[in-house]
């Protein structure tokens, strides 16, 4: 049997990180088994569905590297198919028209509540009525005839064997009075038509699965294998970003997003970092846990920082350039070299942009405390010599800059920090940077000399 899975988001918002993990699990399972990954957009919520969200979902999935083999399919374009299936079930006596008003249903529901009766059966007023008894020109819904006795069992890939009594099922609506089909019906119709073999989704859908099982049978299809994955705890709008585009905008790499999401509930020994190829090779449901995973931003940042170190500097630089441009910084030919140095000091591309701005702009602000401590008048003469030597260099390289600094230390009998720290304050505005020789080189001859001279002027003023 060839594996066929589907990811079926609604286009009522951006791709949530929890849904992204569901998509990823489906994608990995399909690729691991040389199967088919299908994308279906469940867009029947006409009030909230928007094309911009569809575009955003497709863009996020493409960015993550999850290309669908089939689709996207849209449910709104399949309405005739759903109504045809409703008519088939009505004709076979597997569904029925219900003419009960909301008031009638609420009254019966209250009676069931008060008497301790079966809430699953309060709406079955019209279940056994002959069609000849149906009123004319009166609104109705179509309900599915759920089994009244016996048990239903799912052998779930994650949850194991789960059984419920048929008495827990209600005759749920499959077609509303306005002619629109409902979720629990359309998903089964689509899964049957698309020959889905495995339904992998959040465990909040486990109850729906028992409603859907009899529908598969009514449509003459074998139910798929289910895998209900525990939800991810700790994701909420109140706590910040929840969608893939938001984390992408914060400077997280797609490798880190895929890596971190895959590890939320799945493991492969003690390994923490996985490429997409490794995820595809190792992913299975034997190591997907039953417990909810906790979204941990600090762990996510760590994974991202590790992937920033794993990428080749040139590749990292290409990913980084849009963030530099967005910040209004000048992208120069040393961006890859700067990336190689600064990735050790940042967890995201946004943080790396903030910490690296002095390489790409002359608009720097010096910390007053650092200026007071290191741009002292007593260093002025030695620093003047340093600037002269640097300005006279024939070739601007880290090695030549290194030689100049060390010769100045010998000439003035001063420790390197007495040159290095003032240099950092002049060039970066504070005392934190990569190695001082590398920093001077990467800032560039023209900018470095200009900033050192500006700092020297401060020293000379203080020496007077």
């Amino acid at each position: 049997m060839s594996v066929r899975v589907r990811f079926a988001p609604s286009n009522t918002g951006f791709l949530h990180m929890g849904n992204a993990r569901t998509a990823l699990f489906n994608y990995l399972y399909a690729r691991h088994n040389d199967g088919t990954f299908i994308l279906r957009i469940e867009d029947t919520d006409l009030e909230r569905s928007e094309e911009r969200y569809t575009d955003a979902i497709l863009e996020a999935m493409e960015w993550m590297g999850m290309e669908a083999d089939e689709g996207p399919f849209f449910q709104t374009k399949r309405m005739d198919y759903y109504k045809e299936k409703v008519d088939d079930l009505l004709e076979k006596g597997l569904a029925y028209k219900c003419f009960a008003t909301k008031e009638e249903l609420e009254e019966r529901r209250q009676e069931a509540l008060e008497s301790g009766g079966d809430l699953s059966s309060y709406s079955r007023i019209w279940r056994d009525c002959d069609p000849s008894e149906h009123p004319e020109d009166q609104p109705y819904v179509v309900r599915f005839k759920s089994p009244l006795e016996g048990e239903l069992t799912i052998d779930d890939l994650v949850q194991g064997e789960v059984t419920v009594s048929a008495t827990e099922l209600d005759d749920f609506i499959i077609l509303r009075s306005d002619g629109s089909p409902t979720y629990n019906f359309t998903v089964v119709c689509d899964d049957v038509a698309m020959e889905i073999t495995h339904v992998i989704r959040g465990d909040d859908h486990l109850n729906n699965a028992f409603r859907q099982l009899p529908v598969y049978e009514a449509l003459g299809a074998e139910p798929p294998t289910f895998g209900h994955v525990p939800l991810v705890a700790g994701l909420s709008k109140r706590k910040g970003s929840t969608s893939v585009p938001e984390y992408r905008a914060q400077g997280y790499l797609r490798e880190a997003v895929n890596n971190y999401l895959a590890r939320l509930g799945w493991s492969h020994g003690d390994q923490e970092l996985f490429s997409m190829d490794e995820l595809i090779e190792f992913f299975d449901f034997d190591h997907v846990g039953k417990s909810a995973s906790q979204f941990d931003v600090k762990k996510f940042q760590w994974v991202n920082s590790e992937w920033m170190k794993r990428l080749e500097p040139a590749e990292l630089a290409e990913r980084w350039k849009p963030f530099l441009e967005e910040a209004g910084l000048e992208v120069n030919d040393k961006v890859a070299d700067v990336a190689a140095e600064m990735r050790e000091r940042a967890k995201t591309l946004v943080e790396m942009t903030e910490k690296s701005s002095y390489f790409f702009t002359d608009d720097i602000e010096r910390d007053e405390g650092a200026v007071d401590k290191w741009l002292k008048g007593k260093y002025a003469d030695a620093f003047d010599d340093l600037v002269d030597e640097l300005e006279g260099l024939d070739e601007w390289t880290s090695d030549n800059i290194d030689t100049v600094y060390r010769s100045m230390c010998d000439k003035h009998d001063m420790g390197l920090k007495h040159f290095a720290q003032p240099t950092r304050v002049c060039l970066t505005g504070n005392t934190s940077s990569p190695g001082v020789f590398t920093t001077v080189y990467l800032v560039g001859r023209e900018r470095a000399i200009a900033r050192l001279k500006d700092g020297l002027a401060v020293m000379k003023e203080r020496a007077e």
Side-chain angles (χ1 to χ4, degrees):
M1 177 181 62
S2 177
V3 168
R4 291 176 62 84
V5 300
R6 47 75 165 178
F7 174 54
S10 62
N11 58 343
T12 57
F14 298 104
L15 185 61
H16 187 277
M17 290 290 277
N19 287 339
R21 188 192 65 161
T22 298
L24 182 62
F25 278 16
N26 275 279
Y27 177 82
L28 295 177
Y29 192 71
R31 292 291 175 266
H32 179 77
N33 291 282
D34 296 323
T36 303
F37 176 60
I38 299 166
L39 177 61
R40 187 169 75 216
I41 305 295
E42 298 185 343
D43 59 343
T44 54
D45 186 342
L46 300 180
E47 290 186 3
R48 298 170 58 218
S49 294
E50 295 185 33
E51 186 175 351
R52 68 186 180 107
Y53 291 136
T54 302
D55 294 339
I57 290 169
L58 295 176
E59 183 180 351
M61 291 181 64
E62 181 181 3
W63 178 73
M64 292 175 68
M66 294 188 292
E67 182 179 354
D69 300 306
E70 297 178 15
F73 300 105
F74 296 85
Q75 288 190 324
T76 51
K77 296 181 179 181
R78 299 169 60 79
M79 291 299 178
D80 290 342
Y81 170 73
Y82 303 137
K83 290 175 183 177
E84 176 187 324
K85 293 304 176 183
V86 169
D87 290 341
D88 285 346
L89 294 184
L90 285 170
E91 185 176 340
K92 294 175 181 176
L94 300 175
Y96 62 95
K97 295 179 180 180
C98 175
F99 296 85
T101 64
K102 290 182 179 179
E103 292 74 19
E104 285 180 278
L105 292 173
E106 181 58 28
E107 182 179 342
R108 288 177 65 97
R109 181 176 179 278
Q110 288 299 324
E111 290 174 357
L113 279 172
E114 292 169 6
S115 64
D118 184 2
L119 283 176
S120 67
S121 64
Y122 77 91
S123 61
R124 290 174 174 147
I125 306 171
W126 291 86
R127 178 175 173 121
D128 297 318
C129 290
D130 190 277
S132 62
E133 301 176 30
H134 291 172
E136 295 183 5
D137 301 323
Q138 185 171 319
Y140 65 88
V141 298
V142 177
R143 294 181 180 274
F144 180 74
K145 283 188 177 181
S146 295
L148 301 178
E149 56 186 20
E151 293 182 331
L152 296 90
T153 298
I154 292 175
D155 189 8
D156 195 272
L157 289 171
V158 180
Q159 307 297 330
E161 191 172 286
V162 185
T163 300
V164 302
S165 170
T167 58
E168 296 182 31
L169 304 180
D170 63 339
D171 287 358
F172 62 93
I173 295 171
I174 60 175
L175 192 74
R176 301 182 185 93
S177 58
D178 63 2
S180 62
T182 60
Y183 168 80
N184 276 312
F185 184 64
T186 58
V187 294
V188 176
C189 290
D190 287 337
D191 288 346
V192 171
M194 297 174 188
E195 300 180 321
I196 301 301
T197 62
H198 295 75
V199 171
I200 301 164
R201 57 190 179 186
D203 63 4
D204 54 332
H205 285 285
L206 183 57
N207 288 336
N208 284 332
F210 290 103
R211 283 180 150 196
Q212 294 163 6
L213 274 179
V215 182
Y216 285 103
E217 182 180 348
L219 294 177
E222 186 75 21
T225 299
F226 289 99
H228 288 93
V229 182
L231 301 183
V232 179
L235 280 173
S236 73
K237 292 181 179 179
R238 293 191 305 276
K239 294 183 180 180
S241 300
T242 60
S243 72
V244 171
E246 286 175 301
Y247 281 111
R248 180 184 181 184
Q250 287 184 24
Y252 286 82
L253 303 174
R254 59 173 168 267
E255 290 86 353
V257 172
N258 290 330
N259 191 154
Y260 184 68
L261 288 179
R263 286 286 288 111
L264 285 174
W266 171 81
S267 63
H268 179 72
D270 296 327
Q271 187 171 339
E272 289 286 351
L273 299 176
F274 297 85
S275 67
M276 181 65 93
D277 287 343
E278 288 175 315
L279 290 173
I280 291 170
E281 179 183 356
F282 298 136
F283 186 84
D284 61 34
F285 279 93
D286 291 340
H287 297 95
V288 174
K290 293 184 180 181
S291 302
S293 299
Q294 183 70 36
F295 192 89
D296 184 340
V297 173
K298 289 185 178 179
K299 181 65 176 293
F300 190 15
Q301 289 174 342
W302 175 81
V303 172
N304 196 65
S305 68
E306 291 299 309
W307 271 105
M308 287 172 64
K309 297 169 190 172
R310 282 190 167 204
L311 291 186
E312 290 296 325
E315 175 63 21
L316 182 61
E318 287 302 310
R319 310 269 192 101
W320 189 28
K321 284 178 182 178
F323 292 87
L324 293 169
E325 292 166 353
E326 177 70 19
L329 299 174
E330 172 192 324
V331 177
N332 57 39
D333 60 356
K334 291 188 174 66
V335 63
D337 294 327
V338 174
E341 293 295 329
M342 295 303 294
R343 62 183 174 179
E344 298 285 344
R345 298 168 173 268
K347 301 180 185 69
T348 67
L349 295 179
V350 166
E351 185 182 4
M352 192 161 76
T353 302
E354 294 168 350
K355 290 185 174 182
S356 305
S357 61
Y358 55 82
F359 288 110
F360 307 104
T361 181
D362 291 321
D363 185 18
I364 64 170
E365 186 174 336
R366 290 183 181 141
D367 178 78
E368 291 183 8
V371 170
D372 289 340
K373 182 174 181 179
W374 292 107
L375 300 190
K376 294 181 177 180
K378 64 181 181 179
Y379 298 143
D381 290 341
F383 214 70
D384 201 351
D385 266 0
L386 172 71
V387 174
D388 282 344
E389 289 294 318
L390 288 172
E391 198 168 15
L393 280 176
D394 292 330
E395 200 173 344
W396 192 259
T397 65
S398 293
D399 287 343
N400 287 347
I401 292 166
D402 182 334
T403 299
V404 168
Y405 272 82
R406 297 191 186 282
S407 68
M408 288 298 101
C409 290
D410 292 339
K411 179 178 179 180
H412 293 278
D413 194 23
M414 292 170 57
L416 179 60
K417 72 175 182 179
H418 296 296
F419 288 102
Q421 293 299 72
T423 295
R424 287 190 170 98
V425 175
C426 291
L427 299 187
T428 74
N430 56 58
T431 57
S432 176
S433 80
V436 68
F437 313 131
T438 301
T439 300
V440 174
Y441 165 72
L442 291 176
V443 167
R445 181 194 291 268
E446 186 177 333
R447 273 191 172 136
I449 297 298
R451 292 180 197 176
L452 290 172
K453 285 183 175 179
D454 187 50
L456 177 59
V458 174
M459 292 180 183
K460 288 181 176 180
E461 285 179 9
R462 295 186 171 192
E464 294 175 356

